[in-house]
Structures are given as C-alpha cells and as structure tokens.
Amino acid sequence: MARTHTPWGDWEPAAPADVHELFAEFPAPWWLAGGFAVELALGHSLCEHGDIDVLVLRRDHLAVQEVLRGWELWAADPPGALRPWRAGEVLPAGVCDVWCRPAADQPWRIQIMVDESEGECWTSRRNPRVRRSVRSIGRIGEGGIPYLAPEILLFYKAKNTRAKDETDFAALLPLLGAEQRRWLAEAIRDTCGSHPWLSRIGPVLGSPGCCC
C-alpha cells in the first residue's frame, strides 16, 4: 500500500482483507467506505489510496476499542485536532473520525468513521432526513468484505467534490439501477439543493424515503 505523509504522522492503509480479519469479531455491522469501497463495487482499482475508511454506527462504536485492543486510537476533534480516545469514552456527536495505528512508532493504518442511526434505521450525519434501513446500506464484495452501497458512497462524495470524486461518480453511475439513481438524486437534492451531478443522474421522481 502507498504511504502518505500528514502533520500527525505517516499513513500506510491496511489492506481490505486485513481489515476484514481484524473486524471478524466485531459484534455489529460495519462497512468499508471511501476509495476501497469504490474498488470493491467496481471490481478493480481506479487509483492508489491514502487511507482506508471503516464505517460503524455510533451505537456500536465502543466495540472498536475491543477489536483494536492494544492499538493507538486517536479521535479527530473538529475542526481538525487529534487527541487520544480514552478507554470506554463515548464519543460526542460531533466526533465522527478515529485514526488507528498499532503503535506510536508505526504508521496510521485504519480510519474509523462513525455514523448515526435511529433504531434499525441508518441516518446520514449530514442530513437526518436521508435514511435507510441498516440492512439495506451495504453490499458484500470479493472475499466477503462488506462495503457501503454505491449510491451511498456517491451521496457522501457529492459534498465539496474533488477530482477523484468526479472520477468515482463517472465510474459508479453506470452500476446504479433506476431506484438507486432516484434515491441518490433526491438525497443530494434534499441535502445540497442544486448540484451538477443531478442532470447526469437523469430524471427521477419521488423522494428518498426511509425504507425502515
């Protein structure tokens, strides 16, 4: 895996198979997000990845400390400061990312992303009106690795799009069926208002709904 540099130390992302092995005992749903999830959806890589994102629900996030027992876990406090995640500490709603490395002298390997839920319904931390049943937000990729559904990946990439997000959009859009496109278009419209992707998704009717 490629190594990248940050002010808080180097990143050398773990391989998806290694993450899958580490999270084999995680007692709740989890999904790969970000670039590696795009790769699983497509069946091939578009680029090198600077990190690897693992999404869990806030209701389950303390279990990460058990799965990664002995690792260094640092919470990202807005607007961008890292600080140790204390054992047993319930992270507040504004803290959505945790950087993880096996030891202080090793690079960061995994980023945990914490998202919201209500009962058995996933709710976007960006817009609580955007929601789906927890069981519907994931797919299973090669090797049995769970990852976020492509339309949800693109929903998160729609905010402040970068060149790599545009590349991912162009690659993933052909994979979406009519219902997935409808969901994505309405989720983006409800969250962002106008957006250049909407015309490319195509005409859709209805609302994202909750499916819960």
Side-chain angles (χ1 to χ4, degrees):
M1 296 294 173
R3 180 174 287 215
T4 57
H5 307 286
T6 80
W8 301 279
D10 288 356
W11 261 96
E12 189 176 321
D18 294 336
V19 173
H20 193 210
E21 183 176 353
L22 283 167
F23 277 76
E25 301 302 320
F26 193 71
W30 64 273
W31 307 267
L32 286 191
F36 278 103
V38 173
E39 183 174 307
L40 283 170
L42 294 172
H44 62 84
S45 179
L46 292 177
C47 62
E48 290 191 333
H49 307 292
D51 60 10
I52 187 165
D53 302 317
V54 176
L55 187 139
V56 302
L57 300 178
R58 190 169 300 278
R59 69 184 189 194
D60 307 316
H61 76 286
L62 281 179
V64 171
Q65 294 188 339
E66 292 300 317
V67 168
L68 298 181
R69 181 179 292 274
W71 284 47
E72 280 209 345
L73 308 177
W74 288 63
D77 273 338
L82 285 178
R83 50 91 173 172
W85 182 18
R86 301 185 304 274
E89 176 193 359
V90 175
L91 294 174
V95 177
C96 302
D97 297 286
V98 179
W99 289 23
C100 312
R101 59 188 176 187
D105 61 350
Q106 296 189 39
W108 303 104
R109 305 303 307 279
I110 298 170
Q111 177 168 294
I112 302 296
M113 301 170 62
V114 183
D115 220 339
E116 309 304 325
S117 64
E118 294 179 5
E120 291 307 309
C121 193
W122 160 81
T123 64
S124 167
R125 63 181 179 272
R126 292 182 180 168
N127 179 358
R129 294 186 299 275
V130 175
R131 51 181 58 210
R132 292 260 292 266
S133 66
V134 171
R135 65 180 179 275
S136 76
I137 69 170
R139 302 288 183 270
I140 300 297
E142 183 179 357
I145 301 172
Y147 65 94
L148 284 181
E151 66 271 24
I152 296 177
L153 292 171
L154 291 177
F155 167 68
Y156 276 120
K157 287 177 170 289
K159 181 180 180 182
N160 301 324
T161 53
R162 303 154 294 179
K164 65 179 181 179
D165 300 318
E166 295 289 347
T167 298
D168 291 341
F169 176 76
L172 289 176
L173 185 62
L175 302 183
L176 303 188
E179 178 62 19
Q180 292 169 294
R181 288 179 181 235
R182 181 198 63 80
W183 185 91
L184 176 61
E186 292 303 324
I188 291 174
R189 185 177 292 115
D190 190 64
T191 304
C192 306
S194 61
H195 193 284
W197 285 359
L198 292 173
S199 62
R200 296 167 63 187
I201 293 170
V204 292
L205 299 173
S207 62
C210 76
C211 304
C212 296

PDB file of all heavy atoms in Angstrom, residues 178-204:
ATOM      1  N   ALA A 178     -32.459   2.114 -11.571  1.00  0.00           N
ATOM      2  CA  ALA A 178     -33.369   3.260 -11.504  1.00  0.00           C
ATOM      3  C   ALA A 178     -33.680   3.653 -10.066  1.00  0.00           C
ATOM      4  O   ALA A 178     -33.704   4.841  -9.736  1.00  0.00           O
ATOM      5  CB  ALA A 178     -34.662   2.943 -12.262  1.00  0.00           C
ATOM      6  N   GLU A 179     -33.922   2.689  -9.198  1.00  0.00           N
ATOM      7  CA  GLU A 179     -34.249   3.007  -7.809  1.00  0.00           C
ATOM      8  C   GLU A 179     -33.053   3.623  -7.079  1.00  0.00           C
ATOM      9  O   GLU A 179     -33.199   4.562  -6.291  1.00  0.00           O
ATOM     10  CB  GLU A 179     -34.709   1.752  -7.085  1.00  0.00           C
ATOM     11  CG  GLU A 179     -35.035   1.950  -5.604  1.00  0.00           C
ATOM     12  CD  GLU A 179     -36.183   2.924  -5.378  1.00  0.00           C
ATOM     13  OE1 GLU A 179     -36.965   3.167  -6.321  1.00  0.00           O
ATOM     14  OE2 GLU A 179     -36.288   3.446  -4.257  1.00  0.00           O
ATOM     15  N   GLN A 180     -31.868   3.113  -7.354  1.00  0.00           N
ATOM     16  CA  GLN A 180     -30.671   3.686  -6.737  1.00  0.00           C
ATOM     17  C   GLN A 180     -30.435   5.118  -7.214  1.00  0.00           C
ATOM     18  O   GLN A 180     -30.062   5.989  -6.425  1.00  0.00           O
ATOM     19  CB  GLN A 180     -29.453   2.817  -7.067  1.00  0.00           C
ATOM     20  CG  GLN A 180     -29.463   1.445  -6.420  1.00  0.00           C
ATOM     21  CD  GLN A 180     -28.377   0.558  -6.996  1.00  0.00           C
ATOM     22  OE1 GLN A 180     -28.413   0.189  -8.174  1.00  0.00           O
ATOM     23  NE2 GLN A 180     -27.397   0.225  -6.178  1.00  0.00           N
ATOM     24  N   ARG A 181     -30.656   5.370  -8.494  1.00  0.00           N
ATOM     25  CA  ARG A 181     -30.493   6.732  -9.028  1.00  0.00           C
ATOM     26  C   ARG A 181     -31.528   7.670  -8.409  1.00  0.00           C
ATOM     27  O   ARG A 181     -31.219   8.817  -8.087  1.00  0.00           O
ATOM     28  CB  ARG A 181     -30.627   6.724 -10.551  1.00  0.00           C
ATOM     29  CG  ARG A 181     -29.435   6.093 -11.265  1.00  0.00           C
ATOM     30  CD  ARG A 181     -29.642   6.085 -12.767  1.00  0.00           C
ATOM     31  NE  ARG A 181     -28.521   5.467 -13.452  1.00  0.00           N
ATOM     32  CZ  ARG A 181     -27.812   6.038 -14.426  1.00  0.00           C
ATOM     33  NH1 ARG A 181     -28.106   7.264 -14.817  1.00  0.00           N
ATOM     34  NH2 ARG A 181     -26.803   5.396 -14.992  1.00  0.00           N
ATOM     35  N   ARG A 182     -32.759   7.181  -8.283  1.00  0.00           N
ATOM     36  CA  ARG A 182     -33.795   8.006  -7.662  1.00  0.00           C
ATOM     37  C   ARG A 182     -33.402   8.376  -6.240  1.00  0.00           C
ATOM     38  O   ARG A 182     -33.486   9.539  -5.847  1.00  0.00           O
ATOM     39  CB  ARG A 182     -35.130   7.259  -7.651  1.00  0.00           C
ATOM     40  CG  ARG A 182     -36.282   8.057  -7.034  1.00  0.00           C
ATOM     41  CD  ARG A 182     -37.439   7.156  -6.639  1.00  0.00           C
ATOM     42  NE  ARG A 182     -37.051   6.215  -5.607  1.00  0.00           N
ATOM     43  CZ  ARG A 182     -36.970   6.532  -4.313  1.00  0.00           C
ATOM     44  NH1 ARG A 182     -37.228   7.750  -3.898  1.00  0.00           N
ATOM     45  NH2 ARG A 182     -36.608   5.620  -3.433  1.00  0.00           N
ATOM     46  N   TRP A 183     -32.955   7.387  -5.483  1.00  0.00           N
ATOM     47  CA  TRP A 183     -32.560   7.645  -4.100  1.00  0.00           C
ATOM     48  C   TRP A 183     -31.419   8.666  -4.043  1.00  0.00           C
ATOM     49  O   TRP A 183     -31.453   9.625  -3.261  1.00  0.00           O
ATOM     50  CB  TRP A 183     -32.154   6.349  -3.406  1.00  0.00           C
ATOM     51  CG  TRP A 183     -31.855   6.552  -1.951  1.00  0.00           C
ATOM     52  CD1 TRP A 183     -32.717   6.448  -0.898  1.00  0.00           C
ATOM     53  CD2 TRP A 183     -30.596   6.956  -1.394  1.00  0.00           C
ATOM     54  NE1 TRP A 183     -32.079   6.756   0.279  1.00  0.00           N
ATOM     55  CE2 TRP A 183     -30.780   7.070   0.000  1.00  0.00           C
ATOM     56  CE3 TRP A 183     -29.340   7.227  -1.938  1.00  0.00           C
ATOM     57  CZ2 TRP A 183     -29.749   7.440   0.862  1.00  0.00           C
ATOM     58  CZ3 TRP A 183     -28.307   7.597  -1.086  1.00  0.00           C
ATOM     59  CH2 TRP A 183     -28.514   7.705   0.302  1.00  0.00           C
ATOM     60  N   LEU A 184     -30.394   8.446  -4.872  1.00  0.00           N
ATOM     61  CA  LEU A 184     -29.230   9.329  -4.864  1.00  0.00           C
ATOM     62  C   LEU A 184     -29.619  10.751  -5.237  1.00  0.00           C
ATOM     63  O   LEU A 184     -29.213  11.719  -4.575  1.00  0.00           O
ATOM     64  CB  LEU A 184     -28.174   8.797  -5.829  1.00  0.00           C
ATOM     65  CG  LEU A 184     -26.929   9.668  -6.015  1.00  0.00           C
ATOM     66  CD1 LEU A 184     -26.185   9.855  -4.695  1.00  0.00           C
ATOM     67  CD2 LEU A 184     -26.007   9.061  -7.081  1.00  0.00           C
ATOM     68  N   ALA A 185     -30.410  10.913  -6.300  1.00  0.00           N
ATOM     69  CA  ALA A 185     -30.785  12.250  -6.747  1.00  0.00           C
ATOM     70  C   ALA A 185     -31.561  12.990  -5.668  1.00  0.00           C
ATOM     71  O   ALA A 185     -31.288  14.170  -5.382  1.00  0.00           O
ATOM     72  CB  ALA A 185     -31.611  12.167  -8.030  1.00  0.00           C
ATOM     73  N   GLU A 186     -32.516  12.328  -5.044  1.00  0.00           N
ATOM     74  CA  GLU A 186     -33.317  13.001  -4.025  1.00  0.00           C
ATOM     75  C   GLU A 186     -32.521  13.261  -2.756  1.00  0.00           C
ATOM     76  O   GLU A 186     -32.716  14.281  -2.096  1.00  0.00           O
ATOM     77  CB  GLU A 186     -34.581  12.191  -3.731  1.00  0.00           C
ATOM     78  CG  GLU A 186     -35.565  12.160  -4.886  1.00  0.00           C
ATOM     79  CD  GLU A 186     -35.994  13.550  -5.315  1.00  0.00           C
ATOM     80  OE1 GLU A 186     -36.139  14.440  -4.453  1.00  0.00           O
ATOM     81  OE2 GLU A 186     -36.166  13.769  -6.529  1.00  0.00           O
ATOM     82  N   ALA A 187     -31.613  12.367  -2.400  1.00  0.00           N
ATOM     83  CA  ALA A 187     -30.769  12.603  -1.228  1.00  0.00           C
ATOM     84  C   ALA A 187     -29.858  13.808  -1.448  1.00  0.00           C
ATOM     85  O   ALA A 187     -29.681  14.651  -0.562  1.00  0.00           O
ATOM     86  CB  ALA A 187     -29.948  11.355  -0.922  1.00  0.00           C
ATOM     87  N   ILE A 188     -29.276  13.908  -2.650  1.00  0.00           N
ATOM     88  CA  ILE A 188     -28.429  15.062  -2.961  1.00  0.00           C
ATOM     89  C   ILE A 188     -29.258  16.338  -2.996  1.00  0.00           C
ATOM     90  O   ILE A 188     -28.865  17.370  -2.431  1.00  0.00           O
ATOM     91  CB  ILE A 188     -27.695  14.846  -4.304  1.00  0.00           C
ATOM     92  CG1 ILE A 188     -26.642  13.742  -4.175  1.00  0.00           C
ATOM     93  CG2 ILE A 188     -27.041  16.151  -4.777  1.00  0.00           C
ATOM     94  CD1 ILE A 188     -25.974  13.383  -5.493  1.00  0.00           C
ATOM     95  N   ARG A 189     -30.416  16.291  -3.649  1.00  0.00           N
ATOM     96  CA  ARG A 189     -31.254  17.486  -3.760  1.00  0.00           C
ATOM     97  C   ARG A 189     -31.701  17.963  -2.370  1.00  0.00           C
ATOM     98  O   ARG A 189     -31.700  19.150  -2.087  1.00  0.00           O
ATOM     99  CB  ARG A 189     -32.460  17.187  -4.648  1.00  0.00           C
ATOM    100  CG  ARG A 189     -33.336  18.408  -4.922  1.00  0.00           C
ATOM    101  CD  ARG A 189     -34.470  18.063  -5.864  1.00  0.00           C
ATOM    102  NE  ARG A 189     -33.974  17.760  -7.197  1.00  0.00           N
ATOM    103  CZ  ARG A 189     -34.058  16.563  -7.779  1.00  0.00           C
ATOM    104  NH1 ARG A 189     -34.617  15.556  -7.142  1.00  0.00           N
ATOM    105  NH2 ARG A 189     -33.588  16.384  -9.001  1.00  0.00           N
ATOM    106  N   ASP A 190     -32.075  17.035  -1.510  1.00  0.00           N
ATOM    107  CA  ASP A 190     -32.566  17.403  -0.183  1.00  0.00           C
ATOM    108  C   ASP A 190     -31.450  17.944   0.704  1.00  0.00           C
ATOM    109  O   ASP A 190     -31.695  18.734   1.606  1.00  0.00           O
ATOM    110  CB  ASP A 190     -33.206  16.187   0.483  1.00  0.00           C
ATOM    111  CG  ASP A 190     -33.959  16.543   1.745  1.00  0.00           C
ATOM    112  OD1 ASP A 190     -34.964  17.292   1.654  1.00  0.00           O
ATOM    113  OD2 ASP A 190     -33.548  16.115   2.831  1.00  0.00           O
ATOM    114  N   THR A 191     -30.215  17.533   0.426  1.00  0.00           N
ATOM    115  CA  THR A 191     -29.074  17.936   1.259  1.00  0.00           C
ATOM    116  C   THR A 191     -28.347  19.139   0.690  1.00  0.00           C
ATOM    117  O   THR A 191     -27.946  20.040   1.432  1.00  0.00           O
ATOM    118  CB  THR A 191     -28.093  16.757   1.401  1.00  0.00           C
ATOM    119  OG1 THR A 191     -28.790  15.623   1.931  1.00  0.00           O
ATOM    120  CG2 THR A 191     -26.933  17.119   2.329  1.00  0.00           C
ATOM    121  N   CYS A 192     -28.155  19.170  -0.620  1.00  0.00           N
ATOM    122  CA  CYS A 192     -27.315  20.187  -1.256  1.00  0.00           C
ATOM    123  C   CYS A 192     -28.095  21.209  -2.066  1.00  0.00           C
ATOM    124  O   CYS A 192     -27.523  22.225  -2.480  1.00  0.00           O
ATOM    125  CB  CYS A 192     -26.292  19.515  -2.181  1.00  0.00           C
ATOM    126  SG  CYS A 192     -25.282  18.238  -1.411  1.00  0.00           S
ATOM    127  N   GLY A 193     -29.369  20.943  -2.350  1.00  0.00           N
ATOM    128  CA  GLY A 193     -30.090  21.799  -3.282  1.00  0.00           C
ATOM    129  C   GLY A 193     -29.647  21.479  -4.692  1.00  0.00           C
ATOM    130  O   GLY A 193     -29.634  20.323  -5.096  1.00  0.00           O
ATOM    131  N   SER A 194     -29.256  22.468  -5.444  1.00  0.00           N
ATOM    132  CA  SER A 194     -28.771  22.222  -6.800  1.00  0.00           C
ATOM    133  C   SER A 194     -27.392  21.570  -6.746  1.00  0.00           C
ATOM    134  O   SER A 194     -26.615  21.792  -5.807  1.00  0.00           O
ATOM    135  CB  SER A 194     -28.691  23.532  -7.591  1.00  0.00           C
ATOM    136  OG  SER A 194     -27.796  24.432  -6.967  1.00  0.00           O
ATOM    137  N   HIS A 195     -27.093  20.758  -7.745  1.00  0.00           N
ATOM    138  CA  HIS A 195     -25.797  20.075  -7.795  1.00  0.00           C
ATOM    139  C   HIS A 195     -25.573  19.635  -9.238  1.00  0.00           C
ATOM    140  O   HIS A 195     -26.496  19.149  -9.898  1.00  0.00           O
ATOM    141  CB  HIS A 195     -25.795  18.864  -6.863  1.00  0.00           C
ATOM    142  CG  HIS A 195     -24.430  18.300  -6.619  1.00  0.00           C
ATOM    143  ND1 HIS A 195     -23.759  17.532  -7.541  1.00  0.00           N
ATOM    144  CD2 HIS A 195     -23.614  18.397  -5.529  1.00  0.00           C
ATOM    145  CE1 HIS A 195     -22.583  17.177  -7.040  1.00  0.00           C
ATOM    146  NE2 HIS A 195     -22.472  17.683  -5.824  1.00  0.00           N
ATOM    147  N   PRO A 196     -24.354  19.775  -9.763  1.00  0.00           N
ATOM    148  CA  PRO A 196     -24.105  19.409 -11.162  1.00  0.00           C
ATOM    149  C   PRO A 196     -24.321  17.931 -11.459  1.00  0.00           C
ATOM    150  O   PRO A 196     -24.542  17.566 -12.614  1.00  0.00           O
ATOM    151  CB  PRO A 196     -22.646  19.828 -11.391  1.00  0.00           C
ATOM    152  CG  PRO A 196     -22.062  19.998 -10.026  1.00  0.00           C
ATOM    153  CD  PRO A 196     -23.173  20.405  -9.139  1.00  0.00           C
ATOM    154  N   TRP A 197     -24.261  17.067 -10.464  1.00  0.00           N
ATOM    155  CA  TRP A 197     -24.475  15.652 -10.728  1.00  0.00           C
ATOM    156  C   TRP A 197     -25.933  15.330 -11.064  1.00  0.00           C
ATOM    157  O   TRP A 197     -26.212  14.307 -11.688  1.00  0.00           O
ATOM    158  CB  TRP A 197     -24.048  14.817  -9.521  1.00  0.00           C
ATOM    159  CG  TRP A 197     -22.568  14.687  -9.360  1.00  0.00           C
ATOM    160  CD1 TRP A 197     -21.603  15.215 -10.165  1.00  0.00           C
ATOM    161  CD2 TRP A 197     -21.888  13.974  -8.336  1.00  0.00           C
ATOM    162  NE1 TRP A 197     -20.360  14.887  -9.701  1.00  0.00           N
ATOM    163  CE2 TRP A 197     -20.501  14.124  -8.577  1.00  0.00           C
ATOM    164  CE3 TRP A 197     -22.294  13.228  -7.242  1.00  0.00           C
ATOM    165  CZ2 TRP A 197     -19.536  13.534  -7.755  1.00  0.00           C
ATOM    166  CZ3 TRP A 197     -21.345  12.652  -6.416  1.00  0.00           C
ATOM    167  CH2 TRP A 197     -19.977  12.800  -6.670  1.00  0.00           C
ATOM    168  N   LEU A 198     -26.858  16.162 -10.627  1.00  0.00           N
ATOM    169  CA  LEU A 198     -28.275  15.827 -10.773  1.00  0.00           C
ATOM    170  C   LEU A 198     -28.666  15.634 -12.235  1.00  0.00           C
ATOM    171  O   LEU A 198     -29.420  14.717 -12.571  1.00  0.00           O
ATOM    172  CB  LEU A 198     -29.138  16.898 -10.113  1.00  0.00           C
ATOM    173  CG  LEU A 198     -29.039  16.954  -8.588  1.00  0.00           C
ATOM    174  CD1 LEU A 198     -29.805  18.162  -8.049  1.00  0.00           C
ATOM    175  CD2 LEU A 198     -29.566  15.666  -7.960  1.00  0.00           C
ATOM    176  N   SER A 199     -28.170  16.490 -13.107  1.00  0.00           N
ATOM    177  CA  SER A 199     -28.528  16.356 -14.520  1.00  0.00           C
ATOM    178  C   SER A 199     -27.920  15.101 -15.134  1.00  0.00           C
ATOM    179  O   SER A 199     -28.461  14.544 -16.105  1.00  0.00           O
ATOM    180  CB  SER A 199     -28.067  17.590 -15.298  1.00  0.00           C
ATOM    181  OG  SER A 199     -26.661  17.733 -15.247  1.00  0.00           O
ATOM    182  N   ARG A 200     -26.820  14.631 -14.596  1.00  0.00           N
ATOM    183  CA  ARG A 200     -26.156  13.439 -15.126  1.00  0.00           C
ATOM    184  C   ARG A 200     -26.799  12.162 -14.603  1.00  0.00           C
ATOM    185  O   ARG A 200     -26.733  11.120 -15.253  1.00  0.00           O
ATOM    186  CB  ARG A 200     -24.666  13.485 -14.795  1.00  0.00           C
ATOM    187  CG  ARG A 200     -23.952  14.648 -15.468  1.00  0.00           C
ATOM    188  CD  ARG A 200     -22.566  14.890 -14.897  1.00  0.00           C
ATOM    189  NE  ARG A 200     -21.676  13.756 -15.106  1.00  0.00           N
ATOM    190  CZ  ARG A 200     -20.459  13.685 -14.571  1.00  0.00           C
ATOM    191  NH1 ARG A 200     -20.008  14.672 -13.796  1.00  0.00           N
ATOM    192  NH2 ARG A 200     -19.699  12.628 -14.783  1.00  0.00           N
ATOM    193  N   ILE A 201     -27.407  12.241 -13.417  1.00  0.00           N
ATOM    194  CA  ILE A 201     -28.104  11.071 -12.884  1.00  0.00           C
ATOM    195  C   ILE A 201     -29.326  10.757 -13.725  1.00  0.00           C
ATOM    196  O   ILE A 201     -29.678   9.597 -13.935  1.00  0.00           O
ATOM    197  CB  ILE A 201     -28.493  11.309 -11.408  1.00  0.00           C
ATOM    198  CG1 ILE A 201     -27.234  11.389 -10.544  1.00  0.00           C
ATOM    199  CG2 ILE A 201     -29.415  10.210 -10.894  1.00  0.00           C
ATOM    200  CD1 ILE A 201     -27.489  11.857  -9.126  1.00  0.00           C
ATOM    201  N   GLY A 202     -29.971  11.810 -14.248  1.00  0.00           N
ATOM    202  CA  GLY A 202     -31.131  11.612 -15.103  1.00  0.00           C
ATOM    203  C   GLY A 202     -32.415  11.969 -14.392  1.00  0.00           C
ATOM    204  O   GLY A 202     -32.443  12.173 -13.171  1.00  0.00           O
ATOM    205  N   PRO A 203     -33.523  12.067 -15.113  1.00  0.00           N
ATOM    206  CA  PRO A 203     -34.797  12.437 -14.493  1.00  0.00           C
ATOM    207  C   PRO A 203     -35.292  11.327 -13.570  1.00  0.00           C
ATOM    208  O   PRO A 203     -35.299  10.156 -13.931  1.00  0.00           O
ATOM    209  CB  PRO A 203     -35.732  12.627 -15.690  1.00  0.00           C
ATOM    210  CG  PRO A 203     -35.131  11.793 -16.764  1.00  0.00           C
ATOM    211  CD  PRO A 203     -33.647  11.846 -16.555  1.00  0.00           C
ATOM    212  N   VAL A 204     -35.668  11.719 -12.338  1.00  0.00           N
ATOM    213  CA  VAL A 204     -36.193  10.765 -11.371  1.00  0.00           C
ATOM    214  C   VAL A 204     -37.375  11.414 -10.673  1.00  0.00           C
ATOM    215  O   VAL A 204     -37.508  12.640 -10.623  1.00  0.00           O
ATOM    216  CB  VAL A 204     -35.134  10.357 -10.323  1.00  0.00           C
ATOM    217  CG1 VAL A 204     -34.032   9.541 -10.960  1.00  0.00           C
ATOM    218  CG2 VAL A 204     -34.550  11.586  -9.634  1.00  0.00           C
TER     219      VAL A 204
END
